[in-house]
Amino acid sequence: MALIDGMSRLLIDGKLTPGGAGGFATVNPATEEVLGEAANADAVDMDLAIDAARRAFDGTDWSTNTALRVRCVRQLRDALQGHVEELRELTIAEVGAPRMLTAGAQLEGPVTDLGFAADTAENYEWTQDLGHATPLGIPTRRSVVREAVGVVGAITPWNFPHQINLAKLGPALAAGNTIVLKPAPDTPWVAAVLGELIAEHTDIPPGVVNIVTSTDHALGAMLAKDPRVDMVSFTGSTATGRSVMADAAATIKKVFLELGGKSAFVVLDDADLAAACSVAGFSVCLHAGQGCAITTRLVVPRARYDEAVAIAAGTMGSIRPGDPTKPGTVCGPVISARQRDRVQSYLDLALAEGGEFACGGGRPADQPAGFFIEPTVIAGLTNEARVAREEIFGPVLTVIAHDGDDDAVRIANDSPYGLSATVYGADADRAAGVAARLRAGTVNVNGGVWYSADVPFGGYKQSGNGREMGVAGFEEYLETKAIATAAN
Ligand code: NAD
């Protein structure tokens, strides 16, 4: 790996620096081998990073120089594209991402999407003229100005790290903010390379982007609490999101949250059951189920429950978890021993709750090393079971029976989460009617794809606040100022 030679560095105030707490190992989840060391920041580093971001926002023209920002975001995209093959190998090695996914959301998609953020800033109507009026009898000219929020603290997880890091960096920078990025300790290098490319291949001024890798989750909490930070943009679990929101409360900073999910795949009774259930089974295996929007509850007509379970198990039982470097691998490892054990504890819980496995149920015998879990179908439970209500974040599908469209909608919506959903049905109008009743931020009908730079993504209920991507995702990083000038 030429971008990082065994040791990565922090980016603080434009300089690549070692971590105050030394280094920590980053591990290949498919082999359990140590790839090398990441810089381990301490609280002093985080303080310096916040200070640098604050000074860059307050003391430079970054927030008002749109042309500079557009150029810089495009430079970052070009630098990433220029190193895409090295980044691909790094992503496969550190994230355990199957090679095939690096052509999309695991790498190339979010890199290309930086162009959307730059284009949005370039074409944005920063000032809107509302014209003259006489509110309270006083002749006034009114305009509405959109401007950057200020210093953004970005806190990200490990599952799709390029996608999540860049879907924050791109719009936040294009909108005129400065940033401190604190990535997950499980995937530090994919964030650290951003620091190296920014420092060496872009005109992004010192302090505008700071990248702080660390094993210490408390550095994330520092970002949420610090009065110098104007906004915290968090992606991760709902439990941590709750803590971030509480920490941000003292300073009333803007809080943007992309959290967990337990999304439903609803199969209506006129659907092609074989097609629907095999798509559901296949998609839960992608990246070993470590996607917040993956549909992990398969909600099928009661009369065809056994058939649906058999189809899903046929698909998932035929997908062997394995080497993510191979082009044909769909299901790689989960990120860590901790995550593997967490998934296993949910599998144990499924049995304790009275469920049964139609396939899978544990660690694959043919993978002695690496954090692998067999694709698993859980049958025989209702939507009340904990494995149907809590996020497992592994290749695990729970199949639930419904008694018609109204009941399917009730079950799909009976969740603390509301991130995504899928509906399959032969009658397109009926399927669209069901989709309209689902309380979720994105809905796929009959295989439609919502993942795209111009489509807002985010959650209802405890899946989050706000939207990432699309123009809505750009506007999350803007304040709104109304200017009223007395006129005669
Ligand atoms: P996590 O919540 O454990 O950690 C996320 C980040 O928060 C990490 O950088 C971590 O260091 C940091 N952190 C931990 N404690 C903190 C605290 N008290 N204050 C501030 N920061 C803190 O999540 P994870 O295990 O890394 O990722 C998996 C979770 O992310 C899943 O729940 C998944 O659904 C969710 N996720 C959501 C989306 C989305 O867009 N909705 C996308 C991807 C992942």
Side-chain angles (χ1 to χ4, degrees), residues 39 44 75 93 101 105-106 130 136 147 153 158 163 177 249 263 283 292 319 353 365 372 382 393-394 422 463 467:
V44 174
Q75 285 173 334
L101 298 185
Q106 278 291 14
L130 297 186
L136 309 176
E147 55 189 21
W158 40 260
Q163 203 285 325
N177 302 274
S263 301
S283 54
C292 51
I319 295 174
E353 288 188 301
F372 292 95
T382 69
F393 232 54
T422 293
S463 289
R467 291 295 176 271

Side-chain angles (χ1 to χ4, degrees), residues 153-185:
I155 306 170
T156 58
W158 40 260
N159 59 326
F160 280 77
H162 290 298
Q163 203 285 325
I164 297 165
N165 292 339
L166 295 177
K168 296 190 189 303
L169 274 182
L173 292 176
N177 302 274
T178 62
I179 298 181
V180 179
L181 171 66
K182 199 221 73 69

Side-chain angles (χ1 to χ4, degrees), residues 262-276:
K262 191 75 188 178
S263 301
F265 190 123
V266 173
V267 183
L268 303 181
D269 62 14
D270 65 346
D272 176 342
L273 193 78

Side-chain angles (χ1 to χ4, degrees), residues 155-159 164 182-186 217 220-221 234-238 240-241 243-244 247 258-261 291-292 338 391 393 419 457 463 468:
I155 306 170
T156 58
W158 40 260
N159 59 326
I164 297 165
K182 199 221 73 69
D186 313 82
H217 297 306
F234 172 81
T235 300
S237 63
T238 294
T240 308
S243 163
V244 165
D247 283 340
E258 295 286 1
L259 308 176
C292 51
R338 183 172 151 265
E391 187 175 50
F393 232 54
L419 193 53
F457 171 74
S463 289
E468 205 140 69

Side-chain angles (χ1 to χ4, degrees), residues 318-385:
S318 70
I319 295 174
R320 301 307 306 159
D323 183 354
T325 65
K326 293 198 174 141
T329 297
V330 169
C331 182
V334 297
I335 191 71
S336 60
R338 183 172 151 265
Q339 184 65 15
R340 180 195 58 202
D341 295 346
R342 184 171 179 275
V343 175
Q344 182 65 58
S345 74
Y346 273 108
L347 297 180
D348 297 343
L349 177 65
L351 295 181
E353 288 188 301
E356 56 196 45
F357 301 137
C359 67
R363 295 167 64 168
D366 60 348
Q367 296 287 353
F371 310 125
F372 292 95
I373 287 275
E374 291 174 314
T376 302
V377 173
I378 300 172
L381 293 175
T382 69
N383 200 50
E384 302 306 313

Side-chain angles (χ1 to χ4, degrees), residues 79 146 154 170 189 195 233 255 362 375 391 414 440:
R146 305 301 306 271
W189 274 7
S233 175
V255 178
E391 187 175 50
D414 180 15

